[in-house]
Amino acid sequence: MFAKETLSSGLDFRVYAPSARVENTAYALQQGAQILQFYEEMFDYPFPLPKSDMAAIPDYAGINSFLKRFAYQNAITAQLWEELTKAWQESGVENGDVGEIMGTWTEQMGYPVITVSRSADELVITQQRFLQDPTAVSDPADSPHGYRWHVPVSFFSSEAPNVSSITWFYKQNDSVTISVPSGATWFKLNYQQQGYYRVNYDQDTWTSMIQVCLDKVRKPQYSALTK
């Protein structure tokens, strides 16, 4: 979720945070908006993009541990991942390795497209490198990770439109399955477009989504699908 303030120039300035922490973003929202407003006025030039977003770090435990451990010393990226991993595992996550996950996002180009195929009440998802040019060739040998990513795939449906669940799609898996709640009239991956990946559905699902979006004009309760 996010808190938003609109500058006099019309720019939307937003601060994203977990739903339980959004109320704690007031200071960042106020100061960030004021700073942007100040520079727009000083340079007499509006912010060149349609919006400006900030993301709040929900838990500082790993960062604090890293800063204390390496105070007045040099450190490398792997040591930051190590401290974040410790904090993550202490929060209850088993076998979480931040360095392994982040490596797939920082040590190779691009990002993935998640392809969805539905069979009854089950989704089968696969991944591949997204290429704007469909005729382009991508050689997995050019990447230390074979152009595969560890992707936290979020899912939500009409059964709980404001609640998402996460399924990890690890790079070594050829595919992953996600269950669709019985009775769901629609579903969508990448809740509020928070994940850095694209999603492509099978034709039947696209057709169903088009119909839901058309119905949205008359039935506002479907609005969660467009987020």
Side-chain angles (χ1 to χ4, degrees):
M1 297 182 66
F2 63 85
K4 182 180 77 171
E5 186 165 325
T6 302
L7 277 61
S8 60
S9 62
L11 174 73
D12 284 339
F13 179 77
R14 305 184 299 188
V15 180
Y16 282 84
S19 57
R21 303 285 185 88
V22 170
E23 62 181 20
N24 296 333
T25 65
Y27 180 77
L29 180 67
Q30 178 189 46
Q31 296 301 311
Q34 288 180 358
I35 290 171
L36 275 179
Q37 184 80 59
F38 170 80
Y39 281 116
E40 284 191 337
E41 294 173 356
M42 183 175 73
F43 292 109
D44 191 25
Y45 191 82
F47 190 76
L49 300 177
K51 62 183 177 65
S52 178
D53 294 338
M54 294 179 64
I57 300 175
D59 193 335
Y60 296 95
I63 299 294
N64 288 341
S65 177
F66 171 76
L67 293 175
K68 290 177 181 178
R69 178 182 174 187
F70 295 102
Y72 308 107
Q73 302 178 54
N74 292 326
I76 60 176
T77 303
Q79 292 166 326
L80 172 60
W81 300 151
E82 179 183 340
E83 293 302 317
L84 291 176
T85 296
K86 289 180 181 177
W88 197 21
Q89 292 178 347
E90 288 173 358
S91 71
V93 176
E94 295 183 4
N95 302 319
D97 188 332
V98 175
E100 172 65 22
I101 292 170
M102 291 301 298
T104 65
W105 296 96
T106 62
E107 297 170 359
Q108 61 182 348
M109 297 184 294
Y111 58 91
V113 54
I114 302 297
T115 300
V116 183
S117 177
R118 181 173 185 177
S119 177
D121 291 332
E122 186 175 82
L123 306 180
V124 178
I125 63 175
T126 58
Q127 66 162 286
Q128 64 186 64
R129 183 187 180 191
F130 173 76
L131 296 172
Q132 185 71 39
D133 180 359
T135 65
V137 177
S138 179
D139 186 355
D142 294 337
S143 164
H145 300 281
Y147 289 123
R148 305 282 295 178
W149 288 262
H150 293 310
V151 188
V153 179
S154 58
F155 168 91
F156 68 112
S157 73
S158 59
E159 293 296 283
N162 296 314
V163 179
S164 66
S165 60
I166 297 294
T167 298
W168 277 96
F169 191 163
Y170 296 107
K171 69 175 186 179
Q172 64 269 22
N173 296 335
D174 293 330
S175 64
V176 172
T177 60
I178 298 176
S179 297
V180 179
S182 59
T185 56
W186 56 260
F187 68 88
K188 188 175 182 293
L189 272 58
N190 202 358
Y191 181 67
Q192 295 187 342
Q193 308 301 115
Q194 294 176 350
Y196 194 56
Y197 57 90
R198 296 201 179 201
V199 181
N200 188 26
Y201 302 92
D202 57 43
Q203 187 57 53
D204 287 344
T205 299
W206 278 123
T207 300
S208 175
M209 284 185 168
I210 291 172
Q211 186 59 53
V212 170
C213 289
L214 291 174
D215 291 342
K216 172 182 174 291
V217 176
R218 299 182 296 274
K219 301 176 181 179
Q221 65 266 30
Y222 287 120
S223 61
L225 181 61
T226 63
K227 296 180 179 179

